[in-house]
Amino acid sequence: MDLLLAHEALKKYYGYDEFRPMQADIIKAIYEGKDTLVLMPTGGGKSICFQIPAITMDGVCVVVSPLISLMKDQVEGLRSNGIKAAFLNSSLSAREQNAVEDDLYNGNIKLLYVSPEKLVSQSFIPLLKQAKINLFAIDEAHCISSWGHDFRPEYTKMKFLKSQFKNIPVVALTATADKVTRRDIATQLNLDNPQVFISSFDRPNLSLNVRPGQKRIQQILDFIKARPNQSGIIYCLSRKNTEDLTGKLLKEGIKADFYHAGLPSGERAKVQEEFINDNVPIVCATVAFGMGIDKSNVRWVIHYNLPKNIESYYQEIGRAGRDGLKSDTLLFYSFRDVTVLREFIENGENAKQREIKMSKLDRMQQFADSLICRRKILLNYFGENLEKNCGNCDVCNNPPQHFDGTVLAQKALSAVTRLKERVGIRMLIDVLRGSNRKEIFQNGYDKIKTYGAGAANSANDWQHFINQIINLGFLEIAYDQKNVLRLTEASKPVLFGQQKVELVKMASIKEHRETQKAKLKKKTKTQRVRDDLFEVLRALRKKLARERGVPPYLVFTDATLEAMAANRPINDEEMKEIPGVGERKLHLYGNIFIDAIISFIKEKSSEGLKIQGTTYLVTHELYKEGFSVDEIATKRNLNVGTIYAHFAQLYEQGHEIDLTDFVSASEIRKVAEAIQKVEDKTKLKPIFDYLKEEIPYHKIRLVLAYRKRNVSI
Ligand code: ADP
Ligand code: ZN
């Protein structure tokens, strides 16, 4: 098989020009009949790796997928691109199943998605034997491993594929697999010396931001208001949280809904559906939300609470920006969350599991606390090395400035000592700031020497300083004793002035927020004009999706709409150049979107807004309305030559223009003659000169355009 065919299929069916890194290599290996193991992050583009071989090779590819809802989406996606696909699982009636099985038998489909249960069932295997299978694709292959978190016993029964279908290649694909799981997948599937492809887990389009969890609601409101019409997910720790937060958003006029495992399944399905269809842009959810959500235009993910480990965090933020466009993630971090998560862990399971979970939580906390590039830490965690700082995380955008915080630290440590290690962070801050809280007087805390010693700094500042002091190891939280603060081995040298403490300036944290805010404002301004068209196209997409009963992203993805908004294609040729517009979609939607773009341009022009590169369209509109060249020129306050140039351009692009409206038959003849005589037949000046300056430039130009289209002249 030739990779050229694969390239053609990529353009024809998906409307993409280039493969992403690794995709072509994987396809090549499959063409060569090799078994392959593919590790790619979510949104990396795994599907194309087996879909293109399936389309281009003889026969049908059987795709095993554990997620029934995802299966349906994928099949719909394929069909909308003009690829014959079907699925088989328990959600179909017996009759529907029979129909699909007939299609399989008769070679009428290129891709068949099946649940693992179906694949391993005794009745299905004989049927498979009769079909012409070209490839087995095992999606979500980590489900095979009992080490993973998604273990599915049926997955372990798939060894028979390699023994019963001897020469048919198998590709196993997953977005999460450590080394153990990787080995497990290869063994369990009995893969024959598989070629392993690991693509980078870096998702440079996702910005990474961590902020202290104070005034979360206000921060979230600001965040959402800076991103109008964008779709996002807010992950919360508790079910109640999701409901409360949704209530608060609704009160502010922000459309949102909530999702958690406590809802009846029908309701859950509905929220998910509304989200996918862009009817509800924002969902506040527990981590139950997301599995099986294949929505490519999620623009942001917020973690209201700290996730329990880095794997979960990465998976959850990975739901943003699957279309590769810039997307934002924001994590709120507070010690309280850590405490709650610790309690969860302590109350559960066996000692070994507790230990693993606790250390994973520690890593998560370290990530949130970190003062070095966050992406470096993340990729490090997944075994990758990022050489340079990423430039797209809050630490990179605001390199911390340190100052000598020894005296501040001494005040805090001394207060902890004098309070006999009996209070938590809140009380410590109140004592340092000399608060009048009742409990302070009841306990006599106002009598200690450091009472009020830190009044010069705000409570907020103190919170940051103490967080840092804890992270530096000079204080610790006694999770086993109501989270009171305790001294550590490292405290003494500080208290006795033998060690300096470097803290990060509050000012730099504030500055960072200011610059972030300023940046946001600027961005939205410069994008305005384009955003208008984008919104028009988005609304159109939604309307079409509703009419056809498919999710909007199956019509076009956000990335495709953005490209349309930026390039404003107004004919088939230009439309075909937009990434994501393949042949079927061009056929189905091309004209509808072109019309929308043209009327947008017209409308803007009549409002007096100049849109570069489109002025000739306005001329065209006036022409269609019956105005003469002179009238158009007057109306538009342009000179006649310019209007002629517009017609030349329109004509070259294939618009219906009758040139004889503008040049007489004798003029055409004269120019044609001149063209025969002059040497350079594409330049205006020699023709102009040859005709002794009798026929003006703009008319010659028009005849040349005519010639370009009808070479016979
Ligand atoms: P995964 O299964 O790895 O999570 P998908 O296969 O769903 O990812 O791909 C994610 C998105 O990237 C889809 O919208 C897909 O159309 C797009 N995509 C995949 N390959 C390419 C490519 N070569 N060029 C442009 N976009 C691509
Ligand atoms: Zn960074």
Side-chain angles (χ1 to χ4, degrees), residues 503-516:
L503 295 179
V504 173
K505 268 189 190 160
M506 269 309 292
S508 62
I509 295 172
K510 277 185 196 139
E511 257 167 39
H512 170 51
R513 289 208 194 111
E514 296 301 314
T515 47
Q516 288 285 79

Side-chain angles (χ1 to χ4, degrees), residues 208 372-376 386 389-397:
L208 304 171
I372 63 165
C373 170
R374 303 215 192 262
R375 203 171 312 267
K376 273 193 167 164
L386 189 67
N389 288 338
C390 78
N392 194 19
C393 74
D394 56 337
V395 180
C396 281
N397 288 335

Side-chain angles (χ1 to χ4, degrees), residues 221 225 244-256:
L221 291 176
K225 282 177 184 159
D244 291 350
L245 187 56
T246 305
K248 283 177 185 144
L249 295 182
L250 290 174
K251 223 174 84 191
E252 293 288 328
I254 295 169
K255 206 167 170 191

